[in-house]
Amino acid sequence: MAGHISDTNLVHEYAAFLDIPNDFLAAARFAAGPWVDVTASPYGAVGDGIADDTAAIQAAINAASLGSMVVYFPKPSVSYHCAGALDCHGKDGLQLLALGGRRGGPILTYSGTAARFLDFRSSRGCKISGLLIQATNASFAGILIDYDHYFAGANDAVFNTIENCSLFATGTATGSVLVSWNHAIVCTLRDVDLLGGDYGVVGVDSTLLPVDGIYSNAHLVEGCHFRDTVVGHIANPGDGWSIIGGAFEPRADGSAGGVIRTASAGTTRSVLIEGVWMADTNNAGTWVDVLTDGLTVSTCTIANCVTCVNVQAGSSSINILGGWYAGYTNGVLFENNCLGTQNVIGTTFDDPTNAVVKGNNAVNIIGGDGSGTNGELSTQVVEFVGSTAPSSGLAMYLTGNFNADSRAGGTYFGDSSGWHVDWMQRSGAAAGRIFMQLYDVGLGGPGGQSALALGWNKGGVWTVDLVNVGAVDTGDVGSRVLQVPN
């Protein structure tokens, strides 16, 4: 058939690229159906970066059937230039395939300003692999790749994948998004560079087809690299998202903005962020800033920001597990009115101003370390900053943290400006009953401050258990191992 790749040529080329047996790939190729070359007759894409290849590529896409046809992009002399958008909606099983991937693959350039470039709305089981896809018009404010509903009540886009690609938006217009998963389910972004645009990936957007509900569920972002977005790298994850591995570099202004929530967000539940590196900023911004029922941040490196993880009011079931947090003002900030008890377990806080800052909620801090470099250690392990009185029964549990005596070569929390544990209400009504437990904890109180400051200035009834707590009184003026309310 005209325009279809022969069995021999592309199968051997692709097998060599992936280093897998030809017979295995050939079987997969036949199961997928025929491959269509966008440069072959009757399609005839030019790929010189000047001629408009929109019609040729669209014709190749239209030739695809529901039998998982592959549309193949050979390496062009410059790039495939599209002045218009490409319609892939509802074409289940469609694959846009190129060899090389990320920075070395064929370039697909969009120079228009439509609401979306690659329209995969209401599509299922589609894949984009090996392409560098870029929007170059400074006025582009749309979506580079869109997986929303095609119309109100249409099918969800499901089981779609983008892998081994680079996505760019080089314009300055407000509102551009590289990938939209609004109303999509079980999609994957793997080994992808996402650079520029207002947002890299947007999940929930309550302003688009709200009649269909507000959701974006069960997606995987794995091994991806984000940089130079204007507002945030990932915005408004929905239910059951997993963000695993990869690197989050600064936004366009040099600040942190990794996983954020905007005004158009809905409810976020059960989000996992694991093994991600977030750093190299100008020490501004917040890396993770969410309102969620269920967040686990595990074994991440998060640094160079104002706040590493900000848990917004109304959140619940937060777990900070392991990882290394450094070079920030607040390590983990729990805003007032978080629900239930939150956990910070086995985490290293290095050179902060405040390691863990609480609102009027309960936090368990178990294990971990507060070591710094060159004696530059943190101000507070825990600071209570509630502006209103908490309900009766507020609790804080701290155990197994920190070696007490830095002068003997150990590590501790506290420098010349603050406390090791500062449990204080700055303002508001009188406190209710407070429970505080410290087990097997080392505390330091240098520089005229106190190892443990129970500075509740509004009174209340206290229950405080100290079991096997080691503390250092340096002898400085005003330093006390234990400071209690007057």
Side-chain angles (χ1 to χ4, degrees), residues 5 10 13-14 17 35-40 45-49 53 57 71-81 96-109 129-134 164:
I5 297 294
L10 189 54
E13 182 184 356
Y14 199 43
F17 174 71
W35 293 26
V36 173
D37 182 341
V38 297
T39 65
V46 178
D48 63 0
D53 289 324
I57 296 172
V71 178
Y72 174 60
F73 293 78
K75 189 70 177 285
S77 60
V78 180
S79 70
Y80 297 102
H81 168 223
L96 306 185
L97 171 67
L99 305 183
R102 302 184 81 159
R103 304 299 174 88
I107 300 172
L108 183 59
T109 299
S129 180
L131 285 165
L132 189 158
I133 305 171
Q134 60 181 359
N164 197 24

Side-chain angles (χ1 to χ4, degrees), residues 342-359:
Q342 323 310 326
N343 300 293
V344 180
I345 301 174
T347 303
T348 295
F349 296 99
D350 199 349
D351 296 334
T353 301
N354 303 302
V356 179
V357 181
K358 296 168 68 299

Side-chain angles (χ1 to χ4, degrees), residues 220-245:
L220 172 64
V221 179
E222 183 178 18
C224 294
H225 171 226
F226 294 84
R227 196 185 73 209
D228 292 337
T229 62
V230 175
V231 182
H233 298 335
I234 296 178
N236 307 337
D239 294 0
W241 281 45
S242 296
I243 303 167
I244 299 176

